[in-house]
Amino acid sequence: MIVDRPLGSTHPKWKDIRYPVNYGYVEGVPAPDGEEQDVYILGVEVPLEEFVGQVIAVIHRFDDVEEKWVAAPPGKRFSREEIAARVAFQERWFRTEIRM
C-alpha cells in the first residue's frame, strides 16, 4: 500500500482536515471512482510511506460510489466502534456501514 497522506498530514483540498491515521491506496487495484482503492491504515502510530498488512474491514458508503478499505498489521484487530472512531475525521460526512 502506498501512503500518500501520512499520519499528521493535512488533506490536499481541505486544509482543516488533519489525518490522525495513515491513509493511502492499493496500487493497481481499481476502485469504483476510477482511482486506485483507498485504504485507512490503523495500528501504526508513526507516519508511513508504504505499508504491508491485511485488510480487516471495508467501509461501505451508502451515499457515495466509493468504499474505503481498513488495513492493519498482521494479527492486529479493531472493533467496529474503534474503526468508526478512528476514521470519523473523514467518514462523518457520509452514511456508512463497517463490514468486517
Side-chain angles (χ1 to χ4, degrees), residues 10 17 59:
T10 57
I17 296 178
I59 299 172

Side-chain angles (χ1 to χ4, degrees), residues 52-64:
V52 176
Q54 59 189 23
V55 175
I56 60 167
V58 174
I59 299 172
H60 175 72
R61 289 179 172 178
F62 291 100
D63 48 0
D64 192 15

